[in-house]
Amino acid sequence: MSKQCEHFSQIHTHQPRTDGCEECLRMGDTWVHLRTCLVCGHVGCCDQSKNRHATKHFHETRHAMMRSQQPGETWGWCYVDKRMFDPI
């Protein structure tokens, strides 16, 4: 694993709260890929998706750590330090 950043202490869960982007599901919209907040389990769509709900979640909550929810992917991202970790 890559050297951890100070935000690893924020990680409380690896379990997603939903099977899809929470906001897109409510809106009836679609997404490209999913990201799970490792602080609270919020599931948001990636920055390639038109709504960018995962990044919006970070800006609203300051929850720094997320991971890809795509099958077979093990990487995570710290929004504050702009660092990727694989595996997370």
Side-chain angles (χ1 to χ4, degrees), residues 19-82:
D19 291 329
C21 175
E22 296 179 30
E23 290 82 1
C24 287
L25 287 169
R26 281 194 296 270
M27 298 166 46
D29 214 340
T30 61
W31 56 84
V32 178
H33 299 292
L34 297 172
R35 308 293 181 238
T36 300
C37 174
L38 295 176
V39 178
C40 70
H42 172 271
V43 177
C45 53
C46 70
D47 285 353
Q48 292 173 318
S49 301
K50 65 182 174 181
N51 295 308
R52 301 178 59 183
H53 286 124
T55 297
K56 287 178 182 176
H57 176 74
F58 162 68
H59 289 294
E60 292 169 1
T61 64
R62 302 305 292 172
H63 293 170
M65 303 298 293
M66 70 84 165
R67 71 170 177 86
S68 172
Q69 193 175 316
Q70 296 307 117
E73 292 186 355
T74 58
W75 63 270
W77 177 258
C78 175
Y79 283 104
V80 175
D81 294 328
K82 296 178 173 54

